[in-house]
Amino acid sequence: MAPIIGDRQFTDSSVLTDFVINRGNGVKGLSEMGLKALPKPYIQPLEERLCMTKFVPQQSIPIIDMSHWKNPRVASAVCDAAEKWGFFQIVNHDVPIEVLDNVKDATYRFFDLPADQKNKYSKENSASNNVRFGTSFSPEVEKSLEWKDYLSLFFVSEEEASMLWPPVCREQVLDYIRRTEVIIKKLLQMLMEGLNVKEIDETKISLLMGSIRTNLNYYPICPDPELTVGVGRHSDVSTLTILLQDEIGGLYVRGNQGDGDNWIHVPPIKGSLVINVGDALQIVSNSRYKSVEHRVIANGTKNRISVPIFVNPKPTDIIGPMVEVLQNGEKPIYKQVLYSDYVKHFFRKAHDGKKTVEFVEI
């Protein structure tokens, strides 16, 4: 049980930090206290709140049926979506619905643990940097906090996972990773063929999917959802992100038309997975495929969860436009960069749209 602390006491940021971060209560702990007002550190600047006048209800990201994935039209649809939208949903992808339901249930189980048990996995207490329970994005550098708690699991091996990952969700997350690997490889094969990359050798496998990170995200009920965000505007640093969302909704993607400040809701579809291009794929494709800004709104009536798998280069890989992409004389847009340096630059600052990719522009 979280201790009873009144709204007024949270006007002291040190009390808030101690309760939310140091003692592991997270924003879930705040939510469960039934606060009547949003604590000031969570109030976002006006320009970062999603105004509903910018919402484009008639638009939708592509939905692609993967049941006949060997049909050239499926590959064409995947590449087209990656070029024009940066986001698409896939259905009939052969990841069993029970695997998806199990990992969602496991996410709730982890966040239902007492604060002191979750706090064993915090930055200060975790036995490994590969397992991290936290809140917001990077609280130490953010001027305004995000209304989200998370557990981040960097996959090294099943042996390490069995030793270090929380038992309440370990097997379900591992099964989710195993079952999605096939579809990840199919999607990357299609996307590489679209770039005229005919052979994916060991070097390219490392570059495209050399490391995997899975997050369990928890967005609790918020007292003033219109004043804050679940996640601020950003693009992912991954090659691809495979997202499982629940039935609540709340993910918005920047539209590809109009004045550039239109946002499209990604509606939950039972059994679907949301796929988005990350910065690493935009860089290696020399901007043929686009990583696109997205954000998550807070919810005033329902708790929401999501489980993204971030498919990344290895930290030690150098990323830059692929030779095959440039062989027709196309000029590189991006310089070569050590992937771990790119990721450090991303986490060194608050979410700020697409500014991370500008870090490597020539």
Side-chain angles (χ1 to χ4, degrees):
M1 286 279 299
I4 303 301
I5 301 177
D7 290 40
R8 288 183 182 177
Q9 286 185 262
F10 285 132
T11 57
D12 182 339
S13 61
S14 63
V15 172
L16 182 74
T17 299
D18 184 59
F19 179 79
V20 173
I21 298 175
N22 300 342
R23 287 154 65 184
N25 289 290
V27 286
K28 183 175 187 284
L30 289 179
S31 176
E32 290 174 347
M33 291 171 58
L35 297 179
K36 297 293 185 286
L38 189 70
K40 189 175 179 181
Y42 291 94
I43 298 176
Q44 293 284 330
L46 274 171
E47 64 271 15
E48 294 304 331
R49 303 176 203 170
L50 182 56
C51 175
M52 282 300 133
T53 60
K54 297 176 180 176
F55 171 46
V56 188
Q58 69 273 23
Q59 279 197 314
S60 171
I61 64 170
I63 299 167
I64 300 173
D65 186 339
M66 297 294 291
S67 54
H68 301 291
W69 66 271
K70 290 186 178 179
N71 187 317
R73 280 183 287 190
V74 175
S76 177
V78 166
C79 293
D80 189 63
E83 287 185 31
K84 294 177 181 173
W85 292 89
F87 264 83
F88 52 97
Q89 295 205 62
I90 57 172
V91 295
N92 299 321
H93 43 64
D94 285 342
V95 180
I97 193 79
E98 59 268 25
V99 171
L100 305 181
D101 287 343
N102 288 345
V103 80
K104 286 191 282 190
D105 291 344
T107 299
Y108 274 110
R109 278 201 303 277
F110 174 79
F111 286 102
D112 283 341
L113 290 173
D116 60 342
Q117 290 192 41
K118 289 182 288 192
N119 210 27
K120 292 176 185 175
Y121 303 101
S122 70
K123 183 177 180 180
E124 290 71 26
N125 300 325
S126 182
S128 168
N129 284 333
N130 294 335
V131 182
R132 176 74 51 82
F133 166 64
T135 190
S136 192
F137 175 62
S138 291
E140 62 278 4
V141 297
E142 291 173 292
K143 291 179 181 174
S144 302
L145 298 173
E146 301 176 350
W147 194 259
K148 178 191 80 168
D149 298 329
Y150 66 88
L151 176 69
S152 183
L153 302 167
F154 184 83
F155 179 80
V156 173
S157 66
E158 298 216 2
E159 292 73 25
E160 180 180 286
S162 68
M163 290 188 294
L164 299 177
W165 290 12
V168 294
C169 59
R170 177 176 58 223
E171 290 307 319
Q172 294 78 11
V173 175
L174 284 172
D175 199 24
Y176 176 47
I177 291 171
R178 287 185 209 109
R179 296 300 192 108
T180 53
E181 185 178 3
V182 173
I183 194 67
I184 290 165
K185 287 180 174 176
K186 286 177 184 175
L187 290 169
L188 287 172
Q189 182 76 46
M190 293 173 188
L191 290 163
M192 288 302 101
E193 286 179 1
L195 296 175
N196 206 34
V197 177
K198 302 301 184 189
E199 184 184 351
I200 303 181
D201 58 18
E202 288 301 316
T203 302
K204 286 194 174 67
I205 288 173
S206 172
L207 185 67
L208 296 169
M209 54 181 299
S211 67
I212 300 284
R213 181 184 296 277
T214 306
N215 276 16
L216 310 185
N217 294 328
Y218 189 90
Y219 304 91
I221 293 168
C222 180
D224 286 310
E226 70 282 355
L227 297 182
T228 191
V229 296
V231 178
R233 299 177 302 111
H234 71 289
S235 59
D236 295 342
V237 294
S238 58
T239 303
L240 284 180
T241 301
I242 288 77
L243 175 74
L244 170 64
Q245 57 173 346
D246 65 11
E247 72 284 356
I248 305 302
L251 171 63
Y252 286 80
V253 176
R254 189 183 283 283
N256 62 359
Q257 298 173 355
D259 65 4
D261 199 23
N262 294 322
W263 294 85
I264 299 164
H265 185 231
V266 179
I269 299 172
K270 180 69 174 174
S272 75
L273 292 168
V274 180
I275 311 296
N276 66 277
V277 172
D279 290 354
L281 185 54
Q282 176 170 321
I283 290 165
V284 301
S285 72
N286 207 36
S287 208
R288 173 87 65 83
Y289 301 135
K290 304 292 194 299
S291 67
V292 172
E293 280 180 77
H294 49 287
R295 65 204 307 179
V296 175
I297 62 169
N299 192 302
T301 58
K302 294 177 180 176
N303 300 315
R304 176 181 183 267
I305 59 166
S306 67
V307 189
I309 295 177
F310 301 102
V311 182
N312 310 307
K314 280 185 180 170
T316 53
D317 281 333
I318 304 291
I319 62 170
M322 287 182 165
V323 173
E324 292 90 341
V325 179
L326 303 177
Q327 65 186 8
N328 292 328
E330 189 175 317
K331 294 279 190 268
I333 299 170
Y334 307 105
K335 58 192 173 188
Q336 304 282 321
V337 64
L338 182 67
Y339 185 65
S340 60
D341 286 346
Y342 189 82
V343 173
K344 284 174 191 169
H345 183 69
F346 178 67
F347 284 103
R348 190 177 289 145
K349 54 191 174 44
H351 280 141
D352 57 358
K354 289 273 292 176
K355 288 187 179 174
T356 309
V357 80
E358 294 171 8
F359 169 63
V360 292
E361 287 178 354
I362 292 176

